[in-house]
Amino acid sequence: MTENNQKQLGKTLWAIADQLRGAMNADDFRDYMLAFLFLRYLSDNYQQAAKKELGRDYPDPNAIGNGGRSSLSVWYEQNPDDVSAFERQMRLKAHYVIRPEHLWASIAHMARTQDGELLNTLQAGFKYIENESFQSTFSGLFSEINLGSEKLGKTYADRNAKLCTIISKIAEGLAEFSTDSDTLGDAYEYLIGQFAAGSGKKAGEFYTPQRISDILSEIVTLDSQEPKTGKRKHLASVMDFACGSGSLLLNVRKRMGSHGIGKIFGQEKNITTYNLARMNMLLHGVKDTEFEIYHGDTLTNDWDMLRETNPAKKPYFDAVVANPPFSYRWDPNEALGEDVRFKNYGLAPKSAADFAFLLHGFHYLKDDGVMAIILPHGVLFRGGAESKIRRKLLEDGHIDTVIGLPANLFYSTGIPVCILVLKKCKKPDDVLFINASELFERGKRQNYLSDEHIEKIIDTYQQRPESIGRYARRVGMDEIEANDFNLNISRYVSTAKEEVAIDLSATHNELVEIEKRIRESTAKHNAFLKELGLSPLPAPDQ
């Protein structure tokens, strides 16, 4: 399917969302719509696996009378004694089970025929998938999808009717397109972006604009010691400790190819967003054995896997990417001061957890790994505790590159942000500064980066030139130390244009000449006026 068609499916579904949302909050509608898309994906996937499993016994879908029945519902009717053995096999092969009445085809048929039992059937289907699946990937997956919410309608009948409308419209939209997992995955991603654009400040919780995500994923997939040599062949693991809907992790995977990454790890504090991320992984064809996403608080480090004390078992990652919440207020206590992540550097202040997030990710980075993190500019120059952390990171040679981006690239904030690239072992004894703040395209609501802008950033990071006028410069540690370890980009790479030197003597002569011409012209004009008997113009110096 062409990229254009994939985008078109996203646009079609977004138009449906826009039309059906009514007075409902965009975030609430998003959760319903994405859950239904996900059910469609799970159903397709499950039916393909069932067809493979049953072989010739799989009833021919073309030979079945319609009535919303699927091949599986016919098989279940004909083979009641074999159902439990079949489901046991499906748990092993597909890692989950969907009953025929819960498959998308059946649900869409109920919606089209305005079946009064749709809501109950859907609820039962979500519960069954969560509880009867073989892997924990599905537990609680639909926990935030409240089909009994008054947002859908005041009575059961109202809610059921609303769901019938939403699902039949989505089914119509999907019917126009061939929907392999890539297409559905891209449509899902497109919708997440559109909902993010509509939900303003809250979008920062779950979405990194695609173009910024492109920069981070390209940086961490390049060879860590010699970026010039190009992309790494394989990443054993990649981690995003504030993963939102998982799009940044998926971008890294896309760049590496589906076999280029051993395992994807993510952590997310918001339960709805955590569920979105798991759906997003599965929708993009990432098997449940290929990713692990944990619901919990990164700052207090409540993921047992990361608190492993045995050095041989402690996890470290080839690549760490993150777009944590900017200047997040947190509550650092004495115990956190002794935490292995912060002990050598100090605690980030209460008012801004930016460095706490950075140090968390950095702690789990492999010695030859690369970390790229999006942060507000304040981390580059703020004083107090942050100044000490910044100084120690610089003195230990861990800050590799500082990239300043333009303002207004995010849905959630208009502030300009920077990307910090960190390495535990880096070759050059300097810091590369890239001042990309002036290069962007203006959009109606957001500014955005073009392919050329992104290419220039990546190429500069890769080639690490001594200097590019008004854009980039490698700065030695002596100069940074002389600036008291302040990393404010404009101190090192100013985008201000040099003022043109003015030759005063030439300018003076030019003005004298202009003055002379004015006098001559005035005298000539007055001669005409005198002939006509009109009053003369006043002299220029009057």
Side-chain angles (χ1 to χ4, degrees):
M1 190 173 191
T2 66
E3 198 177 322
N4 200 29
N5 272 0
Q6 290 172 348
K7 279 204 180 110
Q8 204 48 54
L9 173 60
K11 284 181 179 168
T12 301
L13 292 171
W14 174 246
I16 291 167
D18 228 17
Q19 174 197 344
L20 296 180
R21 184 162 69 87
M24 202 190 295
N25 178 305
D27 288 347
D28 294 322
F29 194 82
R30 175 196 77 205
D31 298 341
Y32 292 120
M33 183 155 197
L34 296 179
F36 300 147
L37 259 193
F38 184 61
L39 179 62
R40 159 69 196 259
Y41 165 75
L42 285 182
S43 299
D44 286 359
N45 210 35
Y46 190 75
Q47 281 167 297
Q48 279 167 16
K51 194 174 180 181
K52 214 172 182 178
E53 183 60 32
L54 295 172
R56 285 188 199 159
D57 294 337
Y58 187 77
D60 177 2
N62 300 317
I64 298 168
N66 50 20
R69 293 192 332 148
S70 62
S71 297
L72 267 187
S73 58
V74 172
W75 186 85
Y76 267 61
E77 280 166 25
Q78 292 170 349
N79 304 276
D81 298 342
D82 300 330
V83 166
S84 62
F86 167 73
E87 288 189 352
R88 212 167 29 249
Q89 272 302 101
M90 291 302 285
R91 277 192 188 92
L92 289 170
K93 299 275 172 72
H95 298 178
Y96 62 97
V97 170
I98 303 183
R99 305 304 299 262
E101 65 270 27
H102 302 145
L103 287 166
W104 174 258
S106 165
I107 296 290
H109 177 74
M110 289 180 89
R112 268 194 303 275
T113 53
Q114 301 279 306
D115 193 308
E117 279 302 298
L118 172 76
L119 196 156
N120 287 336
T121 309
L122 203 49
Q123 217 151 22
F126 284 165
K127 249 194 193 75
Y128 192 88
I129 295 165
E130 285 184 339
N131 301 332
E132 298 298 321
S133 59
F134 178 63
Q135 296 283 8
S136 62
T137 315
F138 296 92
S139 66
L141 198 57
F142 300 102
S143 62
E144 296 302 291
I145 310 300
N146 182 3
L147 296 175
S149 165
E150 287 209 352
K151 289 165 183 167
L152 282 169
K154 284 208 163 46
T155 65
Y156 174 92
D158 291 342
R159 292 193 283 277
N160 194 71
K162 178 84 171 167
L163 287 171
C164 284
T165 308
I166 293 171
I167 290 169
S168 33
K169 283 283 182 197
I170 292 173
E172 278 171 32
L174 288 168
E176 296 173 34
F177 298 88
S178 108
T179 44
D180 51 48
S181 78
D182 272 358
T183 313
L184 265 183
D186 289 346
Y188 192 89
E189 199 74 37
Y190 178 84
L191 286 171
I192 289 176
Q194 291 301 110
F195 281 116
S199 60
K201 283 217 181 310
K202 286 186 74 182
E205 290 174 14
F206 66 88
Y207 192 71
T208 303
Q210 195 63 40
R211 312 286 14 218
I212 299 176
S213 171
D214 288 344
I215 299 170
L216 269 72
S217 52
E218 192 136 355
I219 284 172
V220 300
T221 52
L222 289 168
D223 187 279
S224 63
Q225 295 304 301
E226 298 286 355
K228 278 181 195 177
T229 58
K231 202 170 78 173
R232 292 179 65 155
K233 286 189 171 57
H234 190 263
L235 292 173
S237 56
V238 55
M239 163 71 154
D240 181 345
F241 53 79
C243 71
S245 58
S247 57
L248 192 43
L249 286 167
L250 286 165
N251 206 334
V252 176
R253 180 179 183 263
K254 189 176 178 182
R255 212 160 285 282
M256 290 301 294
S258 54
H259 303 295
I261 292 180
K263 195 160 183 182
I264 288 171
F265 294 87
Q267 182 162 358
E268 176 51 45
K269 189 179 178 183
N270 177 305
I271 179 93
T272 311
T273 314
Y274 156 70
N275 286 336
L276 267 186
R278 291 190 294 161
M279 288 185 197
N280 207 1
M281 291 291 146
L282 293 161
L283 255 171
H284 280 86
V286 188
K287 294 189 182 77
D288 49 8
T289 51
E290 296 172 339
F291 73 90
E292 201 170 326
I293 293 184
Y294 181 78
H295 173 231
D297 190 334
T298 296
L299 294 173
T300 54
N301 206 16
D302 55 9
W303 192 354
D304 287 344
M305 179 190 85
L306 296 182
R307 289 212 306 272
E308 174 62 62
T309 48
N310 177 347
K313 290 183 180 174
K314 197 172 175 183
Y316 289 99
F317 306 100
D318 286 322
V320 176
V321 287
N323 172 24
F326 301 150
S327 302
Y328 180 78
R329 289 192 74 80
W330 72 311
D331 196 15
N333 52 34
E334 267 181 58
L336 280 170
E338 289 304 304
D339 190 299
V340 287
R341 300 169 296 161
F342 310 132
K343 202 173 177 180
N344 293 334
Y345 295 91
L347 283 173
K350 240 183 190 172
S351 58
D354 301 312
F355 269 115
F357 282 121
L358 181 150
L359 291 171
H360 172 88
F362 187 66
H363 180 73
Y364 295 105
L365 185 67
K366 280 187 188 171
D367 285 349
D368 63 345
V370 185
M371 173 174 170
I373 180 170
I374 302 167
L375 293 167
H377 271 268
V379 298
L380 303 176
F381 52 78
R382 287 191 298 237
E386 291 182 291
S387 170
K388 289 178 188 149
I389 297 171
R390 188 169 57 243
R391 177 178 185 148
K392 173 102 175 99
L393 283 166
L394 283 161
E395 285 179 334
D396 291 353
H398 295 320
I399 296 179
D400 178 89
T401 303
V402 179
I403 303 167
L405 295 175
N408 208 24
L409 291 177
F410 283 78
Y411 298 121
S412 50
T413 176
I415 63 167
V417 298
C418 62
I419 295 172
L420 288 189
V421 181
L422 295 106
K423 296 175 186 178
K424 283 192 174 165
C425 304
K426 73 179 178 88
K427 278 190 170 179
D429 185 27
D430 54 34
V431 176
L432 174 64
F433 286 85
I434 300 176
N435 195 346
S437 61
E438 303 285 302
L439 300 180
F440 60 91
E441 302 286 339
R442 274 188 206 285
K444 274 184 191 168
R445 280 189 294 184
Q446 263 77 41
N447 295 329
Y448 63 95
L449 301 171
S450 69
D451 290 347
E452 288 74 26
H453 298 144
I454 290 171
E455 218 172 282
K456 187 169 183 182
I457 291 170
I458 300 301
D459 188 58
T460 307
Y461 166 75
Q462 252 188 304
Q463 303 306 324
R464 211 176 176 85
E466 283 289 342
S467 172
I468 299 175
R470 298 179 56 245
Y471 186 73
R473 184 159 80 89
R474 263 166 49 189
V475 179
M477 287 311 298
D478 295 350
E479 187 177 340
I480 290 171
E481 192 174 345
N483 272 304
D484 205 18
F485 299 95
N486 183 318
L487 294 180
N488 202 342
I489 300 169
S490 56
R491 286 190 176 214
Y492 305 101
V493 185
S494 171
T495 58
K497 289 180 181 167
E498 281 186 34
E499 287 186 24
V500 182
I502 295 171
D503 182 339
L504 285 176
S505 165
T507 305
H508 175 78
N509 292 340
E510 200 177 323
L511 288 171
V512 168
E513 183 57 36
I514 290 168
E515 188 74 26
K516 184 181 162 193
R517 287 208 299 275
I518 289 171
R519 286 178 187 280
E520 285 171 359
S521 297
T522 306
K524 201 184 245 181
H525 195 70
N526 280 342
F528 292 133
L529 291 173
K530 193 177 178 185
E531 278 179 31
L532 296 167
L534 298 170
S535 307
L537 292 172
D541 54 357
Q542 279 179 353

